[in-house]
Structure formats: C-alpha cells, structure tokens
Amino acid sequence: MKKIVLCVSLAVALAGCDLRPTSSYGFRLPDGDAEKGKQVFAEKMCSSCHVIEGMEDLREGMDPEMTVTIGGMTTQIDTYGQLVTSVINPSHRIARGYRSEDYVDDGESKMRNYNDELTVSELIDLVAFLQAQYTEFPDY
Ligand code: HEC
C-alpha cells in the first residue's frame, strides 16, 4: 500500500515538471514596460473589442466591434504565459464568460490575429500592461 501511495505522489509531482521537448518549461520573456504597452494597445485598436476598467477613454471616437472586458478583480491572475498565449494564440484557451458564438466561431476565437504585425518588443510591453490591469481578490 505504501508503495502505491509513493508512486501516485511521485507521478503527481513529475506531472508538474514536464520536460518533454514540447514543454514550455524554461520559457521566459524579458520584463516589459507597461506604459509602452498601453500605447501599443491604443495603436493596435485593441479597444475596438476590449474594455479596460477605468480606461474607457481608449474607446472614444470608435465604433466598437464587441465588448470583451480585460482586467478587474479575479480569483487568480493569469500568468504571463497565459496572457502571451491569449494574444498570439487566442483560440488555445477561450476566456471564461466569452464562449458564446458572439465571440467564438466553431472553436476559433473571433479575436483578430496580430502575429504578423506585432514586434516581440510590442508583445512584451503589451503583456506587462495587460497583467497590471488585474487585481487578485485578497485571501480570507
Ligand atoms: C475583433 C475583436 C478583437 C480584437 C481587435 C482584439 N481582441 Fe482580444 N479578444 C477578443 C475576444 C472575442 C476574446 C475572448 C475569446 C478569447 O479568449 O479569445 C478576446 C480575449 C482576449 C484576452 C483574454 C482575456 C481573458 O480574460 O482571458 C486578451 C488578453 C486579449 N484578448 C488581448 C487583446 C489585445 C492585446 C488586443 C490588441 C492587440 C486584442 N485582444 C484585440 C476579441 C478581440
């Protein structure tokens, strides 16, 4: 019995440390500049589909395509890996609350594809900006 318990806990521990060649273990972008990221967000017209609490002015003069909220209070802030993925591979994990056909078409996110127009630096700054928009609920 003890052996089985040991095996199971070892399997669980190893699953958290996936070192296969396809693993993203070791992936780390340099730190970004959130202020520059805000400029990128404005320039790339992300506001055409997104609203950020307290920054509604970014939408001024626009004819919005849809309204997907970014930021605010959350139980768990996305890791930067998840945020990078949300921008460059949005269909990988559709945001909670946005799984209806207004936002997703046949499993594909309706988010515009920016992969051929965002520089790596812009992506890094964008993610620093996005991450700063979330606040985690305090633990009780
Ligand atoms: C044409 C509309 C559209 C545009 C333009 C757009 N997005 Fe999105 N975005 C979406 C939709 C729809 C979702 C929700 C479905 C999903 O998760 O892909 C989404 C989801 C996201 C999420 C995940 C939010 C969460 O709660 O997990 C992030 C981050 C994001 N977008 C960032 C951006 C950034 C940065 C830009 C500009 C470079 C941008 N989006 C431009 C439509 C858009």
Side-chain angles (χ1 to χ4, degrees):
M1 185 63 192
K2 255 191 188 154
K3 258 188 198 161
I4 295 174
V5 172
L6 190 70
C7 276
V8 170
S9 39
L10 198 64
V12 169
L14 285 175
C17 161
D18 179 0
L19 292 176
R20 283 173 299 179
T22 49
S23 163
S24 55
Y25 180 83
F27 173 77
R28 178 80 178 114
L29 293 172
D31 290 337
D33 179 329
E35 262 313 304
K36 285 189 187 159
K38 185 178 177 183
Q39 283 166 28
V40 177
F41 194 87
E43 282 162 21
K44 299 291 173 187
M45 311 282 277
C46 306
S47 301
S48 157
C49 297
H50 290 289
V51 162
I52 297 182
E53 211 176 302
M55 295 189 191
E56 290 77 7
D57 56 316
L58 287 172
R59 275 201 144 179
E60 259 166 36
M62 263 188 196
D63 182 14
E65 292 171 63
M66 55 180 93
T67 300
V68 175
T69 305
I70 290 185
M73 299 292 282
T74 175
T75 45
Q76 197 178 9
I77 298 180
D78 280 359
T79 63
Y80 79 87
Q82 288 168 325
L83 280 173
V84 169
T85 305
S86 291
V87 178
I88 63 177
N89 185 12
S91 303
H92 177 69
R93 189 189 57 138
I94 302 293
R96 242 182 299 151
Y98 297 100
R99 299 195 171 132
S100 76
E101 59 190 20
D102 289 343
Y103 310 102
V104 181
D105 187 11
D106 208 12
E108 290 288 310
S109 170
K110 286 191 180 175
M111 178 155 151
R112 191 170 305 141
N113 185 319
Y114 290 92
N115 293 3
D116 290 333
E117 52 173 296
L118 272 184
T119 68
V120 176
S121 300
E122 285 172 335
L123 175 69
I124 291 168
D125 292 339
L126 245 186
V127 171
F129 167 68
L130 294 174
Q131 199 151 38
Q133 306 314 315
Y134 292 91
T135 316
E136 203 162 355
F137 281 112
D139 288 331
Y140 293 107

